[in-house]
Amino acid sequence: MVETRKIDAVTTEIIRNGMVAATEEMKSNLMRTAYNMIIYEALDFTVGIFDRAGNTVSIDIGLPMFIRGMSNTAKRMIAHFGYDQIEDGDVLLTNDAYITGSHLNHMTFVVPVFFESEIVGFSACMAHWQDIGGTLDGMTFDIFSEGLQMPIVKIYRKGVPNAEIFQIIEINVRIPERAMGDLRAQIAAVKTGERRVLEMLHKYGKSTVVQAIERIFDQGEAGSRALVAAIPDGVYEAESFLDDDGVDMGKRIAIRVKVTVAGDEMTIDLSGVSDQVRGFYNSGESAGIACAQVAFKCLMAPNELPINDGCFRPLKVILPEGKVVNARRPAPMRWWMTFPMTVVDTVFRALAPAIPERVIAGHHADLVIASIHGRQPTDNRLFLYLGGLIGGGWGAKFNEDGMSATIAINDGDTHNGPSEQVEAKYPLLVEKYQLRPDSGGAGTFRGGLGTEQTIRVMSDIMFNTQIERVECRPWGLFGGLSAFGNEVCIQRKGEEEVAYKTGKVFSQTFRSGDAWTLRSGGGGGYGKPTERNPSSVEDDVRNGYVSSEMAHKHYGVVLDAKTGRVQASASAELRAYMRANQLPVDQPYTSQATGPGGTNPQLLRRVRQSTPHQALFSFEAREFQAEARAAGLLVDRCCS
């Protein structure tokens, strides 16, 4: 007999937390059983529980941009087979980039949850495989060159492995033992989710669990609507740019968004986002919708758990086909994750005038990684390494400095690869991994700092980078300055370091003794730098976050050369002069920068020569350099 009583609030909360616990356990099991570092260390995956229709009930975030991909994949699988053709014990699989919205490396496994001979939900896992075939070096120009395409299939039928599918996968990957290990780990994860949902169904009954899910959806919707209703009605627009698509070098990619708030509903219109590009930076519709949903979630329901589809009911997304975040087949999608980050940032930028206390300035918006492959010197076995994930700076907000050394928003909960693991598994030596001084945008609240990592190779390898936002720097808000952009440098053995104007450096052969350096950008500043508390600037200099020169140039703070303490009267006088002359001036593009660390020496000279208080700038360049060396604060070279 089906239970029909109305569910109470306590039971709803127990089931709510049961769903969160189920996805957390799925995540833990995958981390403990996966074969590749990108899963068990970097956490490049997401797991989730979905209702009978494929709507998100609970997901445990590794990659926020998967917030839509797994749900859309489950729905497409339902449409493909129909409920009557999905059976208990089936395990469904696809990596179709135009369904998941991402690249072919993301294999998505889905199992139906059967209770009393009926499908009541689904358990799913999307995770990054180190290799899926395809070319390793250079640019790709269509999906066919990027690896194995797996349509929607049943890799298990009623609990029995489909041997032919296993064989197809094994023959298309370079290191099959690792791929098949990750495959089994993902299946274990989704079966864990299935088991935990069944336990709740047996304990509380189907009607109670279904009612609880609907109540969770309704509560999420109500909370989001209340917060949207508090935003002034209006149309809010913003524009930003990406460097290029890796093919038409230097041709900027426009990102234009329009956000309309009407009552308790919000529409995010991505019609102004660039058309799909020739290079491999495209992504699918699921990723485009996820851009809007991630921004919406951050602003309207950041702490609500579980992450579910109810909170997105007040949101409408306009996303025409053929856009860089809704590309048509067979557009290349290998580096799908990069452009969506700036779309999210631009939504924040658009809403800044309406909700200045909820948004942040621009962040470094790139994973800042290098794709490496070579042979192990001990046994000549092929290795693949996605190096970096070094983290960078996030934008400041109205009352707080930005976070430093934090992974970009696309990857949310993913982590860097520990240096010890890198050195133990690959012929690589991590020589340096540290914060990047002066990289955060100046402001009343300073942007977070980027990082820099230098790795020296111990045997021959092939090196590729696909880094963005080198030229187009993370922006500040309300008078805050732009941060440093990302940067790629190469040092051949015995030679000087070479900094590239672009972050797209393909098919470079490295010999033993060569090295590369990746530098991530910072976060933009919030508010005018001359309004920052001088004691905070003093602390920043003491901690190595800001150089003495930038304390003068950007913040108008004069520090005693011996004690490092703020000279209050001199700083007040300098700040008055800077305010009167609308200084400092922002530099949103790296090409405007012509001096060390992305600074403009002409601007610095102008301040020194024009101020009536020459003593404020009495230090000479050589004195500053000696002081900076002593403190370990040498400013990084600009990539231009």
Side-chain angles (χ1 to χ4, degrees):
M1 183 175 180
V2 178
E3 186 180 3
T4 58
R5 67 180 177 85
K6 187 174 181 180
I7 189 171
D8 61 89
V10 173
T11 304
T12 298
E13 290 307 299
I14 292 171
I15 292 173
R16 178 198 301 276
N17 286 282
M19 293 295 179
V20 174
T23 48
E24 287 179 348
E25 186 179 355
M26 293 168 69
K27 176 179 180 178
S28 295
N29 284 356
L30 181 58
M31 290 168 58
R32 286 172 168 80
T33 56
Y35 276 52
N36 280 290
M37 224 166 75
I38 196 166
I39 296 179
Y40 65 75
E41 288 287 0
L43 311 189
D44 191 344
F45 66 85
T46 301
V47 295
I49 303 296
F50 305 85
D51 69 7
R52 174 179 168 83
N55 299 309
T56 303
V57 176
S58 175
I59 59 174
D60 202 296
I61 286 294
L63 269 70
M65 216 57 67
F66 286 177
I67 202 168
R68 188 77 264 131
M70 284 198 302
S71 176
N72 280 10
T73 300
K75 290 176 179 179
R76 286 290 293 273
M77 289 174 167
I78 295 167
H80 179 80
F81 288 112
Y83 291 109
D84 58 339
Q85 295 299 314
I86 300 175
E87 300 177 279
D88 198 0
D90 286 352
V91 178
L92 314 181
L93 167 66
T94 189
N95 72 337
D96 188 329
Y98 305 93
I99 296 175
T100 67
S102 58
H103 53 191
L104 299 177
N105 298 74
H106 286 151
M107 298 292 267
T108 304
F109 293 80
V110 178
V111 298
V113 179
F114 274 83
F115 185 73
E116 297 176 350
S117 302
E118 182 184 8
I119 295 174
V120 295
F122 295 88
S123 173
C125 173
M126 181 187 289
H128 183 114
W129 284 22
Q130 191 73 49
D131 172 53
I132 200 67
T135 184
L136 290 175
D137 296 306
M139 176 59 68
T140 54
F141 296 93
D142 58 41
I143 197 69
F144 306 109
S145 58
E146 296 184 341
L148 169 67
Q149 296 186 72
M150 182 62 66
I152 296 173
V153 297
K154 293 185 178 183
I155 194 166
Y156 276 72
R157 292 180 180 272
K158 293 194 286 188
V160 178
N162 188 337
E164 288 83 1
I165 300 298
F166 279 82
Q167 291 167 3
I168 289 171
I169 294 172
E170 286 186 275
I171 204 170
N172 275 279
V173 296
R174 295 176 176 87
I175 310 176
E177 64 271 20
R178 289 188 172 273
M180 304 317 287
D182 287 342
L183 181 154
R184 291 188 291 271
Q186 285 189 258
I187 292 175
V190 293
K191 295 299 283 186
T192 297
E194 175 193 30
R195 184 166 62 253
R196 296 305 180 220
V197 173
L198 284 172
E199 288 173 356
M200 284 184 274
L201 288 164
H202 282 293
K203 184 172 184 178
Y204 299 105
K206 184 176 73 173
S207 175
T208 298
V209 172
V210 170
Q211 284 185 66
I213 290 171
E214 285 304 316
R215 190 162 184 173
I216 290 167
F217 285 167
D218 291 343
Q219 290 169 345
E221 177 184 4
S224 293
R225 287 192 182 279
L227 286 167
V228 174
I231 301 173
D233 285 1
V235 178
Y236 305 96
E237 300 184 65
E239 179 183 67
S240 63
F241 293 91
L242 291 147
D243 296 346
D244 54 58
D245 69 349
V247 178
D248 297 318
M249 303 298 285
K251 181 180 178 181
R252 291 179 187 160
I253 309 298
I255 304 294
R256 301 181 182 93
V257 304
K258 181 168 69 173
V259 183
T260 302
V261 178
D264 62 359
E265 295 189 345
M266 177 183 291
T267 300
I268 297 180
D269 186 350
L270 302 180
S271 302
V273 171
S274 168
D275 290 341
Q276 66 189 63
V277 294
R278 291 201 294 158
F280 54 26
Y281 292 92
N282 301 290
S283 54
E285 180 187 28
S286 293
I289 296 172
C291 293
Q293 291 190 337
V294 168
F296 185 85
K297 174 71 176 171
C298 290
L299 296 172
M300 301 301 148
N303 298 317
E304 182 189 353
L305 290 176
I307 299 169
N308 66 84
D309 274 344
C311 73
F312 299 120
R313 287 174 176 170
L315 174 66
K316 178 183 178 183
V317 182
I318 299 175
L319 178 61
E321 191 179 16
K323 296 296 177 180
V324 74
V325 288
N326 185 13
R328 298 186 182 95
R329 194 183 297 271
M333 297 175 66
R334 171 167 283 182
W335 230 245
W336 73 281
M337 74 293 285
T338 300
F339 285 11
M341 302 187 209
T342 294
V343 177
V344 175
D345 262 5
T346 309
V347 173
F348 294 160
R349 191 178 196 178
L351 285 167
I355 46 174
E357 75 287 354
R358 288 196 223 167
V359 299
I360 63 172
H363 80 309
H364 66 289
D366 196 282
L367 297 184
V368 195
I369 54 181
S371 300
I372 310 299
H373 64 92
R375 296 281 173 178
Q376 294 283 7
T378 52
D379 55 13
N380 203 41
R381 296 185 66 183
L382 174 71
F383 72 86
L384 307 172
Y385 172 56
L386 205 59
L389 279 175
I390 59 176
W394 281 53
K397 56 184 182 180
F398 79 104
N399 63 350
E400 190 176 332
D401 292 344
M403 297 293 291
S404 300
T406 302
I407 303 297
I409 197 166
N410 176 80
D411 280 44
D413 192 37
T414 57
H415 301 174
N416 62 357
S419 299
E420 296 81 2
Q421 286 270 23
V422 172
E423 294 178 342
K425 293 179 180 296
Y426 307 107
L428 303 170
L429 177 65
V430 182
E431 291 191 337
K432 178 171 63 177
Y433 186 15
Q434 65 186 37
L435 292 175
R436 186 182 179 191
D438 285 329
S439 55
T444 307
F445 293 96
R446 172 183 47 74
L449 299 183
T451 63
E452 57 179 311
Q453 183 187 64
T454 297
I455 294 185
R456 194 162 301 276
V457 307
M458 313 304 287
S459 69
D460 295 354
I461 65 164
M462 290 295 293
F463 173 91
N464 297 265
T465 63
Q466 305 83 8
I467 293 171
E468 252 295 330
R469 300 289 288 276
V470 172
E471 166 70 13
C472 300
R473 300 163 63 177
W475 55 80
L477 291 177
F478 304 108
L481 301 190
S482 300
F484 281 12
N486 303 305
E487 182 178 275
V488 180
C489 298
I490 290 177
Q491 182 189 38
R492 303 297 182 181
K493 186 176 181 180
E495 299 179 7
E496 291 293 319
E497 179 184 90
V498 174
Y500 284 78
K501 283 191 174 183
T502 174
K504 287 89 172 178
V505 183
F506 298 126
S507 304
Q508 294 289 313
T509 301
F510 276 42
R511 306 298 182 190
S512 180
D514 293 346
W516 77 80
T517 298
L518 302 180
R519 294 188 177 100
S520 60
Y526 192 109
K528 295 180 179 180
T530 50
E531 300 302 317
R532 184 168 178 80
N533 189 323
S535 65
S536 296
V537 178
E538 179 184 311
D539 289 342
D540 284 345
V541 174
R542 183 179 299 112
N543 290 324
Y545 302 155
V546 175
S547 67
S548 298
E549 183 180 29
M550 290 304 166
H552 282 77
K553 173 181 163 47
H554 284 163
Y555 292 99
V557 172
V558 182
L559 302 175
D560 185 273
K562 294 182 178 180
T563 66
R565 303 303 297 272
V566 174
Q567 295 183 352
S569 60
S571 297
E573 206 161 3
L574 173 58
R575 284 186 159 193
Y577 169 81
M578 293 175 70
R579 292 183 186 116
N581 287 273
Q582 297 184 330
L583 297 172
V585 176
D586 192 27
Q587 296 172 188
Y589 300 104
T590 299
S591 60
Q592 296 176 351
T594 56
T599 66
N600 189 321
Q602 276 96 24
L603 180 60
L604 188 58
R605 282 197 297 271
R606 172 188 167 195
V607 176
R608 289 177 176 172
Q609 292 166 1
S610 301
T611 176
H613 304 281
Q614 294 294 328
L616 303 184
F617 297 102
S618 60
F619 65 89
E620 297 292 333
R622 60 179 180 274
E623 294 174 330
F624 165 72
Q625 289 169 0
E627 174 189 342
R629 287 193 189 96
L633 300 177
L634 278 178
V635 182
D636 299 300
R637 296 193 313 165
C638 173
C639 58
S640 63

